[in-house]
Amino acid sequence: MAIRPILHFPDPKLRTASIPVVEVDDNIRTLIDDMLETMYEAPGIGLAAPQVAAFQRVIVVDTSEDRSTPLVLVNPELLECRGMEEMDEGCLSVPGIFEPVERAEWIRVRALDRNGQPFEMEASGLEAVCIQHEIDHLDGKLFVDYLSDMKRNRIRKKMEKQRRQTL
Ligand code: GNR
Ligand code: NI
């Protein structure tokens, strides 16, 4: 297992649409294990493969209190969305920024597990928000895209300034 570096907004690579996984093989399982280690170390409650520059449709999530319940979703598909809720969101690719975003509060999802077996699940609250946030990453979309142009530009400038200071 290895921790992989996380890309930061406004890196254009985060805008890549990730491609479906054709076969859940050992390479994909290594990616999954590295993503889990990177998510727990960050620490974050979710991570999408494009955040670590792997442009395949893989996400990991753990919203459990004791961070003991890793959830792996390969080729996740939103089947159903219900209700709306507004929650403060953050993103490991936009560090230090927290802004309210409106999302479905209940979802049903289909995906493949780490053995390539299809399964369906329901999620609500923070877990539902996190899964929607991660699926957006697979489509090159970031939570800052839901904010006003003014807010997003302010965040971009802040990130670019931070980057210059750390280089
Ligand atoms: O760690 C994370 N916290 C979080 C909080 C509210 C809504 C979504 C998230 S996901 C984020 C990790 C991340 O960037 N995943 O892509
Ligand atoms: Ni994110």
Side-chain angles (χ1 to χ4, degrees):
M1 298 237 283
I3 290 165
R4 301 196 189 188
I6 296 176
L7 301 177
H8 285 173
F9 175 73
D11 190 322
K13 290 200 277 294
L14 287 168
R15 298 313 191 172
T16 308
S18 292
I19 59 169
V21 171
V22 176
E23 194 194 347
V24 184
D25 57 13
D26 285 348
N27 285 327
I28 294 294
R29 277 184 285 272
T30 298
L31 171 63
I32 288 167
D33 289 339
D34 288 357
M35 285 172 61
L36 284 168
E37 190 175 359
T38 304
M39 174 186 76
Y40 285 124
E41 195 265 347
I45 59 170
L47 191 72
Q51 291 181 277
V52 292
F55 302 99
Q56 311 219 58
R57 300 187 76 84
V58 176
I59 69 177
V60 296
V61 171
D62 189 344
T63 55
S64 68
E65 201 72 48
D66 59 356
R67 329 239 333 109
S68 64
T69 316
L71 176 64
V72 174
L73 299 156
V74 176
N75 298 343
E77 290 173 74
L78 270 179
L79 301 175
E80 211 180 325
C81 292
R82 291 188 192 168
M84 291 299 272
E85 67 182 330
E86 192 179 70
M87 212 182 263
D88 267 7
E89 292 198 21
C91 181
L92 294 170
S93 296
V94 196
I97 305 292
F98 299 88
E99 295 285 348
V101 175
E102 220 176 71
R103 307 239 190 215
E105 65 101 17
W106 180 95
I107 60 172
R108 206 155 56 81
V109 190
R110 180 175 31 229
L112 305 177
D113 68 15
R114 62 177 294 130
N115 298 310
Q117 287 299 116
F119 70 101
E120 284 185 21
M121 64 173 289
E122 296 170 7
S124 59
L126 181 61
E127 187 177 48
V129 165
C130 189
I131 291 169
Q132 291 171 81
H133 174 116
E134 304 313 338
I135 291 175
D136 272 355
H137 275 300
L138 302 181
D139 296 323
K141 188 161 178 137
L142 302 173
F143 86 96
V144 296
D145 299 344
Y146 296 100
L147 309 178
S148 67
D149 289 359
M150 201 177 76
K151 266 193 182 172
R152 187 170 50 262
N153 285 329
R154 192 153 38 73
I155 293 166
R156 178 187 293 112
K157 288 203 175 82
K158 189 172 169 184
M159 294 295 126
E160 284 167 345
K161 185 174 174 195
Q162 269 178 20
R163 154 135 307 195
R164 283 197 300 277
Q165 286 169 345
T166 55
L167 279 179

